[in-house]
């Protein structure tokens, strides 16, 4: 095992995940959903806490793993969560309740994200978390940067997509799309960005101006 792989493995295993999130993670796997890794969740929680987030939105509810991490980091925030799967959102409601999160802190919207997002207000969210259809990631990020307030942060899970993005020989549409996104964001003057290799990659973009 290389030092880099050992570091990656250690960064995942050192996380102490709350029991409610561990249960939601197991439920995700049973339903065939790929949840964010513990280290990605923990990083999202740190960003939410450091931002002092009050308003957050996530694209891709799953059964609530990422939402639980975000709300754990920002304990006074509200979260709007969008997903096409009503059944998954019902599980997320239950998981939030089991974690002691009051119902007025989470709003669930069932629908196709690209239909819902145009109705969301500009410059309104402290955190935008994206973990949904990877084929649409560029469109999601465009909406995310529009919706984030100046000083707000857009987080994109799976930004290294199964380890394929770093390999230029991988030319499938999803890997190429992430590679294009990362290249464009790295050269953008509208954000300060960083790419973390934990989990399947976490792209972090803080919006400098509207």
């Amino acid at each position: 095992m290389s030092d880099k792989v050992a570091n990656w493995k250690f960064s995942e295993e050192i996380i102490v995940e709350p029991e409610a999130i561990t249960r939601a993670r197991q439920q995700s796997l049973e339903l065939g959903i790929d949840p964010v890794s513990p280290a990605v969740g923990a990083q999202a929680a740190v960003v939410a806490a450091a931002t002092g987030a009050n308003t957050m939105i996530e694209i891709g509810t799953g059964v609530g793993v990422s939402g639980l991490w975000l709300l754990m980091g920002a304990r006074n925030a509200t979260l709007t969560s969008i997903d096409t799967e009503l059944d998954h959102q019902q599980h997320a409601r239950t998981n939030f309740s089991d974690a002691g999160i009051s119902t007025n802190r989470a709003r669930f919207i069932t629908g196709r994200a690209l239909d819902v997002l145009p109705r969301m207000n500009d410059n309104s969210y402290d955190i935008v978390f994206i973990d949904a259809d990877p084929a649409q990631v560029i469109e999601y990020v465009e909406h995310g940067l529009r919706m984030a307030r100046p000083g707000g942060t857009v987080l994109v899970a799976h930004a290294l997509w199964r380890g394929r993005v770093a390999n230029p020989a991988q030319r499938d549409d999803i890997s190429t799309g992430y590679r294009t996104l990362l290249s464009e964001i790295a050269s953008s003057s509208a954000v300060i960005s960083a790419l973390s290799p934990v989990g399947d990659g976490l792209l972090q973009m803080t919006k400098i101006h509207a």
Side-chain angles (χ1 to χ4, degrees):
M1 182 184 297
S2 70
D3 288 345
K4 286 186 177 180
V5 171
N7 288 341
W8 173 84
K9 189 171 184 291
F10 182 80
S11 69
E12 290 290 345
E13 294 177 348
I14 197 65
I15 302 299
V16 178
E17 196 165 52
E19 184 179 345
I21 301 180
T22 298
R23 289 197 302 268
R25 177 178 304 284
Q26 182 59 40
Q27 187 179 55
S28 295
L29 297 174
E30 291 170 357
L31 292 171
I33 302 168
D34 185 12
V36 298
S37 76
V40 169
Q43 278 202 10
V46 168
V47 172
T51 303
N54 290 309
T55 55
M56 304 186 293
I57 187 168
E58 67 172 351
I59 305 167
T61 307
V63 299
V65 173
S66 54
L68 287 167
W69 274 114
L70 289 166
L71 289 169
M72 186 181 77
R75 296 183 181 273
N76 296 315
T78 58
L79 174 70
T80 298
S81 189
I82 303 167
D83 203 290
T84 58
E85 298 292 337
L86 177 60
D87 288 348
H88 293 170
Q89 290 186 324
Q90 299 283 26
H91 288 304
R93 288 179 193 274
T94 300
N95 290 331
F96 282 18
S97 177
D98 290 347
I101 295 169
S102 61
T103 56
N104 64 352
R105 293 189 64 204
R107 176 173 69 135
F108 297 93
I109 300 175
T110 306
R112 182 173 173 267
L114 292 181
D115 294 332
V116 174
L117 292 173
R119 305 199 298 269
M120 301 292 104
N121 292 332
D122 295 2
N123 303 311
S124 298
Y125 295 94
D126 300 310
I127 299 286
V128 180
F129 190 88
I130 299 170
D131 183 13
D133 180 3
Q136 309 293 336
V137 67
I138 291 176
E139 289 91 338
Y140 295 153
V141 169
E142 289 172 351
H143 280 291
L145 290 173
R146 173 184 62 79
M147 295 186 300
R149 66 166 177 79
T153 298
V154 178
L155 302 172
V156 182
H158 302 291
L160 291 173
W161 193 247
R162 313 292 189 252
R164 298 171 67 87
V165 172
N167 182 356
Q170 301 293 341
R171 294 293 183 179
D172 59 281
D173 290 345
I174 291 176
S175 300
T176 300
Y178 276 110
R179 204 174 292 124
T180 298
L181 170 65
L182 292 168
S183 178
E184 291 179 354
I185 290 300
S187 61
S188 173
S189 61
V191 298
I192 297 173
S193 65
L195 175 62
S196 169
V198 297
D200 197 25
L202 181 67
L203 175 60
Q204 305 161 78
M205 299 165 277
T206 296
K207 184 174 176 179
I208 298 173
H209 50 73

